[in-house]
Amino acid sequence: MNDRSVSNASAPLALANMPVTTMANAIRALAMDAVQQANSGHPGMPMGMAEIAVALWGRHLAHNPANPQWANRDRFVLSNGHGSMLQYALLHLSGYDLPLQELKKFRQLHSRTPGHPEFGYTPGVETTTGPLGQGFANAVGMALAEKLLAAEFNRPAFDVVDHCTYVFAGDGCMMEGISHEAASLAGTWQLNKLIAVYDDNGISIDGEVKYWFTDNTAQRFEAYGWNVIGPIDGHNVDAIDRAIAAAKRQGTRPTLIIAKTIIGKGSPGRAGTEKAHGEALGEAEVEATRVALGWPHETFTVPQDAYAAWDAKAVGAERETKWNQLFRAYAERYPHEAGEFERRVARTLPAAYFAARDAALAAATQKRESVATRKASQLALEALAPSLPELIGGSADLTGSNLTKWSKAGALRPDALNGRHINYGVREFGMCAIASGLAVHGGFLPFVGTFLTFSDYARNALRMAALMKLRVVYVFTHDSIGLGEDGPTHQAVEHAATLRLIPNMDVWRPADTVESLIAWAAAIERADGPTCLLLSRQSLPFVARDVDVDVIRRGAYVMIEAANGVGSAQAVLIATGSEVGLAVDAQNKLAGQGVAVRVVSMPATTVFDRQSTKYKSQVLPEGVPRIAIEAGVTDFWWKYVRADGAVIGIDRFGESAPAKDVFEYFGFTVDNVVATVKQVIAESAKT
């Protein structure tokens, strides 16, 4: 029993009677009309890839326009996302809830047809694309998710997970380094249900790519372990159809189909030139194109016979109905597996996780271990991962340093698909974009690891995950000058601040085992965005606190109030991560000198900023001077300490030396903190 029994023959019957050129020209017309009306956009790629789209969407793609979230649908990714009107035209023509009016509002405020495809805005868009190459890497993650879920849940005669991942990519995607990283892993992982179609039109914004892109792409992908088909004529629907069919028969290798096309095909004055790439054709050229295509219809007009040929609602409903029948039979035979699959697809956490979390918090509070927070993170994984079968993580060749592997994880290999730890190799950007693909596919909760300073390599993937509100966890260790001897190349100084600036990105820099566990729990339980965990290389002291651990979830809290008998707080020390212990030591010394100081731990500024004004004023009371301590750039902290406060930080690159010496050199000492607090209090008293 297999949902693919709804074969290619179930493509719209009208396809056999409708010239494929008419179907392709419907795409071209909608694309050029929408771009012209917006006077902005990229008509060339949709016009050039129209026949490729006819072959895939008309003859192969398993989807249901009435239910874009059907679990076993094929995934389609437009990595060359600037050609978004191709996807919007396909979604509209095949029957998704994307009416013509939305195409008329292409690139306009609050429309469902933004300039580049955005996940969560347009039904049928599987991932946000536009930054070239990232959609390709997302597709690798999706294909990996399918393969792993199939290995975990399928049973003889019950292939409940059985779908392909298709990705369209252009010259820009092939040039971007992330495509190299992701393609290499896809070949290693033998993702045979990943099928990429390369729109080889030889044109980019600057003109003919032969002057700056002379790779032998076919040989490159063959070296990665891919099955390569072509070059073929990208305007021959039957040739493309045969190539896709051959790709689907692959048993071990992903497939790259190289399709030679003409950018802007159909435009008599722009076809084959960079002028077709990223600007409206112009009214005169649009009319000339209608004549050249033999398309007599008015602007935004598609004849009913073309709509009928494209309509995929009946076929989609048939496919999903057969799969539902299969799944019901599967649930009767394997009720536990079916329930677990449904939970994973719904992205709900199991009850066992919450029990494990609470037990781990109680144990951490009692045990009071002083360890590096990277080790505290691994302890959290040991406690939580066994209750989360969807948790899958890895590292960019730094497993022993990031401590991203827990004891029962097992290594993911092509012959060990039950492994839950991924060796990504030195591929930070590809790793993070693949994790986004795992997350957006569903069924997995991915995390990845590298040194904090190397987050720069992957930054745009982090930004895209935040834009898509994906649940991905980034484990960034060696978070400051505390890594010591490796020096300024590896010492993160500006990174915490810049990550906090990414909208919708939560950033935690915990101080000890308890805060690390809370940070992990917050990341796992967050359903609307990604989380960065910034962790120390060096051991940090456990901080005894007399607070309910739930208050830590608010991002900042009063860790230790001003010493009893000294009076109300004269200043507030705000610290994160490795500097919290320093703040506590300084508080103790100040108390001995008759100065009362409150210590506020602020492990997640982004979470604290979302709290109520009342809570924030309770933690950071008005009228009390504040001093922030963090081994990083100071600019970020002035919004908390304000003009009458101070920041103890670093506004330059670090130094190569043992961590203790580096901290002392940059003034992260009890004596410097004490002196700074006294100075701030004295200056505050003068005003």
Side-chain angles (χ1 to χ4, degrees):
M1 299 176 70
N2 187 316
D3 77 289
R4 294 202 173 272
S5 61
V6 186
S7 67
N8 298 341
S10 294
L13 295 178
L15 182 63
N17 303 315
M18 168 67 65
V20 294
T21 53
T22 303
M23 296 180 69
N25 287 342
I27 294 173
R28 292 189 172 99
L30 288 173
M32 70 180 183
D33 287 346
V35 172
Q36 185 61 41
Q37 178 148 309
N39 197 28
S40 170
H42 300 75
M45 186 279 271
M47 298 175 74
M49 293 195 76
E51 282 84 8
I52 297 171
V54 170
L56 175 59
W57 281 65
R59 300 184 181 181
H60 292 277
L61 193 72
H63 63 122
N64 183 5
N67 181 15
Q69 299 306 312
W70 171 36
N72 201 45
R73 67 193 181 278
D74 286 339
R75 269 58 170 184
F76 172 75
V77 176
L78 192 73
S79 187
N80 42 353
H82 55 270
S84 56
M85 266 309 304
L86 175 69
Q87 189 161 17
Y88 300 148
L90 289 166
L91 293 169
H92 168 71
L93 291 167
S94 60
Y96 284 78
D97 181 20
L98 192 67
L100 191 63
Q101 190 61 31
E102 291 293 335
L103 275 62
K104 293 179 179 180
K105 295 190 294 183
F106 178 56
R107 287 185 163 231
Q108 304 309 300
L109 187 64
H110 303 315
S111 76
R112 286 193 285 168
T113 50
H116 292 84
E118 293 186 36
F119 174 72
Y121 273 76
T122 313
V125 170
E126 300 283 4
T127 185
T128 300
T129 59
L132 294 175
Q134 284 202 64
F136 184 97
N138 293 165
V140 172
M142 294 178 192
L144 177 62
E146 190 277 343
K147 184 166 188 170
L148 298 181
L149 289 171
E152 183 174 356
F153 288 101
N154 287 355
R155 298 292 184 271
F158 291 96
D159 290 342
V160 294
V161 180
D162 181 19
H163 54 266
C164 292
T165 300
Y166 296 98
V167 55
F168 285 179
D171 289 304
C173 296
M174 293 296 107
M175 285 186 258
E176 281 286 1
I178 190 172
S179 73
H180 299 243
E181 295 182 19
S184 176
L185 283 167
T188 298
W189 292 334
Q190 301 177 10
L191 301 181
N192 60 296
K193 290 185 180 177
L194 173 62
I195 301 171
V197 182
Y198 167 31
D199 177 32
D200 185 9
N201 61 40
I203 297 291
S204 67
I205 293 174
D206 282 355
E208 295 182 75
V209 302
K210 65 183 181 182
Y211 299 110
W212 50 86
F213 182 49
T214 58
D215 296 16
N216 188 320
T217 301
Q219 290 183 359
R220 171 157 70 92
F221 274 75
E222 287 170 352
Y224 291 148
W226 284 57
N227 169 47
V228 177
I229 298 175
I232 62 173
D233 180 358
H235 301 298
N236 184 325
V237 172
D238 290 336
I240 301 158
D241 176 21
R242 289 191 296 271
I244 295 171
K248 289 163 70 174
R249 293 193 292 270
Q250 263 297 311
T252 59
R253 292 182 294 170
T255 295
L256 178 72
I257 299 170
I258 302 176
K260 288 285 188 180
T261 65
I262 299 170
I263 191 170
K265 182 175 172 59
S267 170
R270 298 285 184 92
T273 73
E274 66 272 19
K275 293 291 286 183
H277 174 85
E279 60 185 66
L281 298 180
E283 292 183 3
E285 185 65 17
V286 166
E287 291 309 311
T289 303
R290 290 188 195 284
V291 173
L293 294 176
W295 188 262
H297 312 290
E298 297 294 323
T299 301
F300 288 110
T301 299
V302 176
Q304 287 304 311
D305 53 358
Y307 274 123
W310 271 114
D311 190 352
K313 294 191 293 295
V315 175
E318 180 187 358
R319 287 184 184 277
E320 185 172 358
T321 295
K322 288 197 173 185
W323 183 84
N324 288 337
Q325 293 170 347
L326 172 69
F327 192 81
R328 282 194 293 271
Y330 173 79
E332 290 177 3
R333 183 81 172 269
Y334 305 102
H336 172 75
E337 289 81 358
E340 178 65 7
F341 179 80
E342 290 177 317
R343 180 191 70 77
R344 298 264 291 271
V345 169
R347 293 177 166 86
T348 58
L349 295 171
Y353 158 76
F354 296 101
R357 178 203 65 188
D358 294 345
L361 275 171
T365 303
Q366 292 296 318
K367 198 168 186 180
R368 302 189 171 198
E369 286 185 281
S370 293
V371 296
T373 49
R374 61 171 175 162
K375 180 61 178 178
S377 168
Q378 187 180 47
L379 294 174
L381 283 172
E382 287 287 356
L384 302 177
S387 66
L388 285 170
E390 60 264 51
L391 193 67
I392 185 167
S395 171
D397 203 47
L398 289 167
T399 301
S401 293
N402 300 149
L403 302 182
T404 51
K405 188 175 183 181
W406 66 100
S407 58
K408 300 293 177 64
L412 175 67
R413 300 287 186 266
D415 58 352
L417 297 177
N418 60 337
R420 287 297 174 261
H421 184 270
I422 302 175
N423 300 103
Y424 281 101
V426 188
R427 300 182 180 95
E428 293 88 356
F429 195 5
M431 171 181 72
C432 291
I434 288 169
S436 290
L438 284 163
V440 79
H441 179 281
F444 289 101
L445 196 170
F447 70 91
V448 296
T450 188
F451 287 180
L452 178 56
T453 190
F454 301 144
S455 65
D456 282 343
Y457 280 127
R459 186 176 180 86
N460 202 253
L462 273 63
R463 183 179 186 272
M464 295 289 281
L467 179 63
M468 288 190 274
K469 302 179 180 179
L470 300 182
R471 184 171 57 176
V472 182
V473 185
Y474 306 102
V475 177
F476 294 135
T477 68
H478 297 60
D479 69 340
S480 73
I481 58 172
L483 76 87
E485 292 87 345
D486 278 340
T489 59
H490 286 52
Q491 291 170 358
V493 174
E494 74 277 22
H495 298 76
T498 61
L499 290 173
R500 291 167 181 146
L501 292 175
I502 300 175
N504 201 45
M505 177 69 75
D506 274 355
V507 180
W508 287 80
R509 189 169 184 250
D512 62 6
T513 52
V514 171
E515 286 190 2
S516 297
L517 189 53
I518 289 289
W520 259 109
I524 289 169
E525 294 163 32
R526 188 182 184 209
D528 61 353
T531 302
C532 295
L533 307 181
L534 314 187
L535 308 170
S536 73
R537 176 200 186 202
Q538 72 276 21
S539 182
L540 303 182
F542 182 90
V543 183
R545 52 177 76 74
D546 188 21
V547 298
D548 189 326
V549 292
D550 284 341
V551 78
I552 301 173
R553 284 180 171 269
R554 306 187 78 166
Y557 64 102
V558 180
M559 174 178 267
I560 305 175
E561 191 52 276
N564 292 333
V566 178
S568 59
Q570 296 167 265
V572 176
L573 278 173
I574 309 168
T576 75
S578 53
E579 286 69 72
V580 170
L582 175 61
V584 172
D585 290 344
Q587 181 200 45
N588 290 332
K589 187 166 185 176
L590 285 162
Q593 299 174 8
V595 180
V597 173
R598 167 185 287 186
V599 174
V600 169
S601 178
M602 193 178 285
T605 64
T606 52
V607 176
F608 179 66
D609 288 347
R610 296 197 294 268
Q611 302 305 310
S612 67
T613 300
K614 179 180 179 181
Y615 178 76
K616 286 188 281 190
S617 64
Q618 289 172 351
V619 176
L620 302 176
E622 296 294 334
V624 181
R626 308 163 186 175
I627 300 91
I629 317 171
E630 185 172 66
V633 293
T634 61
D635 277 358
F636 174 83
W637 286 100
W638 289 103
K639 71 175 183 177
Y640 299 107
V641 303
R642 301 178 182 173
D644 61 345
V647 182
I648 299 172
I650 309 172
D651 287 319
R652 50 154 289 187
F653 294 113
E655 294 282 346
S656 176
K660 180 177 181 294
D661 296 341
V662 179
F663 275 118
E664 289 180 359
Y665 177 77
F666 284 107
F668 291 92
T669 65
V670 170
D671 288 344
N672 186 43
V673 175
V674 167
T676 303
V677 170
K678 287 182 175 180
Q679 181 181 353
V680 169
I681 292 174
E683 291 178 354
S684 178
K686 295 176 184 178
T687 59

